């Protein structure tokens, strides 16, 4: 592609973002009753638009204080086309942070619905078995260092979803599935030749959308609790005009329920999601489920989406398509439920 053509693409993307973000949108929730998740929910969904993207996300909080964040994605990178993205971030791996992001052609993903397994790049990355007890996650690659994670869920709280799990946000579709709101894991992690045996807890969900993420949501918050009961775990996003969508899982006294957000506050004010929160976030839910609140203004880590994109032009095009640099704020806070809340907030830099 010639330089003037690339500039034209970038300008067109920028204009589209400005026009698309100027209007409020309606939010239509999923159809159907609350239900347990299935293998069909976990397997890749129909790639229906040019900008369709889908992500399987994991957050591991290990007992030794190390954390690992993994995303396996199908995504559209402006100017580069469809890609598979595989990224891993270690926080506090023996006191240091290490991050790796790799991209591959879409055909490097293989799926086996009968075994509920997704394999990328001939087994270097594996999402093995239906999410739940026995689910295995393997991440193995080498680029500016060797990165390795191989863990298996020894137990897991049953994932649930409202209806078909698909929201309509204006003209776009958004799917969300909280497969493992809480599970105990064990296995090994490594950076270069340094290998550590680990145990801990983990959260796992999956999302897909028919447009770039920032066209659907101005800010996304996902959170999990370090105990099975009382448990809050899920992902809540906000539209450009502050309407919440997505859901969480609430578990208390053995009863697991889907919790749909009705309002999000930053301190005493309604939270629009246009900036990162300045104080404590508070989530109110339907069905008599108690509100959840935790301080979200002191992240332990800040990371950038651009760290996971290869090439100068791809980074520039992705930044324009997203309306700015997309950041991840990650932290841990005391929740009003008496448990530790591990959280991550994603959105364009203020």
């Amino acid at each position: 592609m010639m330089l003037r053509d690339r500039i034209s693409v970038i300008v067109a993307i920028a204009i589209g973002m400005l026009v698309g973000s100027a209007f409020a949108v309606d939010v239509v929730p999923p159809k159907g009753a609350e239900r347990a998740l299935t293998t069909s929910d976990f397997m890749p969904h129909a790639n229906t638009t040019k900008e369709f993207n889908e992500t399987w996300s994991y957050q591991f909080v290990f007992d030794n204080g190390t954390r690992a964040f993994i995303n396996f994605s199908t995504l559209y990178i402006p100017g580069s086309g469809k890609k598979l993205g595989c990224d891993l971030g270690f926080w506090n791996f023996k006191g240091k942070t290490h991050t790796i992001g790799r991209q591959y052609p879409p055909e490097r993903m293989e799926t086996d619905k009968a075994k509920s397994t997704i394999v990328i790049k001939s087994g270097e990355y594996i999402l093995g078995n239906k999410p739940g007890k026995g689910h295995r996650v393997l991440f193995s690659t080498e680029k500016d260092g060797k990165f390795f994670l191989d863990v298996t869920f020894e137990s897991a709280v049953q994932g649930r979803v409202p209806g078909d799990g698909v929201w309509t946000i204006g003209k776009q579709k958004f799917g969300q599935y909280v497969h493992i709101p809480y599970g105990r894991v064990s296995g090994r992690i490594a950076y270069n030749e340094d290998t550590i045996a680990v145990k801990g807890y983990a959260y796992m969900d999956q999302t897909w959308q028919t447009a770039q993420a920032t066209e659907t949501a101005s800010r996304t918050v996902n959170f999990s609790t370090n105990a099975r009961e009382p448990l809050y775990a899920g992902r809540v996003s906000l539209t450009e005009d502050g309407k919440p969508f997505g859901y969480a899982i609430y578990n208390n006294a053995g009863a697991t329920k889907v919790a749909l957000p009705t309002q999000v506050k930053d301190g005493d004010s309604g939270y629009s999601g246009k900036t990162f929160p300045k104080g404590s976030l508070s989530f109110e839910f339907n069905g008599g489920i108690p509100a959840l609140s935790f301080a979200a203004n002191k992240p332990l880590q800040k990371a950038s989406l651009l760290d996971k994109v290869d090439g100068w032009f791809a980074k520039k095009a992705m930044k324009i398509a997203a309306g700015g640099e997309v950041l991840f704020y990650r932290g841990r806070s005391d929740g009003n439920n008496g448990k530790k809340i591990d959280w991550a907030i994603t959105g364009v830099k203020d």
Side-chain angles (χ1 to χ4, degrees):
M1 182 182 289
M2 297 180 66
L3 179 58
R4 64 174 179 273
D5 296 324
R6 293 182 176 183
I7 293 172
S8 296
V9 169
I10 293 174
V11 171
I13 291 169
I15 292 173
M17 286 296 298
L18 290 172
V19 172
S21 63
F23 302 97
V25 297
D26 293 327
V27 176
V28 180
K31 299 176 182 178
E34 176 183 333
R35 62 177 176 84
L37 287 157
T38 67
T39 295
S40 294
D41 298 315
F42 169 63
M43 302 306 286
H45 291 77
N47 198 325
T48 56
T49 65
K50 183 179 76 171
E51 293 188 342
F52 180 91
N53 57 92
E54 186 163 21
T55 301
W56 295 259
S57 296
Y58 297 83
Q59 175 174 282
F60 300 96
V61 181
F62 298 118
D63 297 342
N64 68 354
T66 301
R67 300 185 188 192
F69 306 92
I70 289 181
N71 296 293
F72 299 107
S73 306
T74 60
L75 67 160
Y76 174 77
I77 298 179
S80 298
K82 295 285 187 179
K83 297 289 184 181
L84 291 176
C86 303
D87 65 78
L88 165 64
F90 284 136
W91 180 82
N92 195 29
F93 186 101
K94 293 192 172 181
K96 295 184 179 180
T97 296
H98 308 285
T99 302
I100 183 70
R102 305 300 304 270
Q103 285 87 48
Y104 305 103
E107 56 268 22
R108 301 304 295 271
M109 175 184 283
E110 301 173 14
T111 61
D112 188 335
K113 189 172 182 180
K115 295 182 179 180
S116 303
T117 294
I118 300 171
V119 176
I120 300 173
K121 201 172 182 285
S122 301
E124 291 186 18
Y125 313 92
I126 298 175
L127 294 75
N129 307 319
K130 181 183 175 182
K133 183 179 180 181
H135 183 62
R136 179 193 179 201
V137 185
L138 172 67
F139 190 109
S140 178
T141 194
E142 184 173 353
K143 180 186 176 185
D144 301 325
K146 296 179 181 179
F147 292 79
F148 178 82
L149 178 146
D150 189 358
V151 301
T152 299
F153 282 82
E154 299 175 335
S155 66
V157 172
Q158 171 67 58
R160 299 189 67 80
V161 65
D164 61 4
V166 180
W167 283 255
T168 300
I169 315 295
K171 296 181 180 180
Q172 306 299 336
K173 299 291 185 181
F174 170 84
Q176 177 174 315
Y177 315 91
V178 179
H179 289 289
I180 305 177
Y182 175 89
R184 292 292 301 179
V185 297
S186 66
R188 295 175 299 136
I189 61 174
Y191 177 71
N192 288 333
E193 306 305 321
D194 201 350
T195 302
I196 304 173
V198 289
K199 289 182 176 291
Y201 95 88
Y203 165 89
M204 182 262 185
D205 71 15
Q206 176 184 356
T207 59
W208 62 261
Q209 48 213 326
T210 55
Q212 294 284 9
T214 50
E215 292 186 46
T216 306
S218 62
R219 200 78 44 180
T220 294
V221 185
N222 72 279
F223 47 84
S224 56
T225 317
N226 70 333
R228 185 184 295 267
E229 295 181 15
L231 168 71
Y232 290 86
R235 181 182 298 267
V236 174
S237 302
L238 295 115
T239 64
E240 285 288 338
D241 55 335
K243 295 186 181 75
F245 62 96
Y247 73 102
I249 296 295
Y250 175 70
N251 183 54
N252 196 28
T256 302
K257 303 177 182 178
V258 167
L260 295 173
T262 57
Q263 186 177 26
V264 184
K265 291 183 177 180
D266 182 1
D268 295 327
S269 303
Y271 183 48
S272 68
K274 292 187 181 300
T275 62
F276 283 94
K278 308 302 182 188
S280 290
L281 283 181
S282 179
F283 298 82
E284 296 178 6
F285 302 102
N286 69 337
I289 293 173
L292 172 69
S293 63
F294 55 88
N297 58 342
K298 294 182 179 180
L300 297 174
Q301 180 191 24
K302 296 180 182 181
S304 172
L305 176 65
L306 299 182
D307 296 336
K308 311 175 192 306
V309 178
D310 291 331
W312 177 88
F313 175 70
K315 289 178 185 289
K316 180 67 68 174
M318 182 62 78
K319 185 174 180 179
I320 292 176
E325 184 178 5
V326 176
L327 299 179
F328 305 90
Y329 283 20
R330 295 163 177 155
R332 166 173 273 204
S333 304
D334 292 324
N336 64 324
N337 62 335
K339 303 296 181 182
K340 295 291 184 183
I341 306 296
D342 292 293
W343 49 269
I345 303 172
T346 306
V348 175
K349 183 177 181 180
D350 295 352

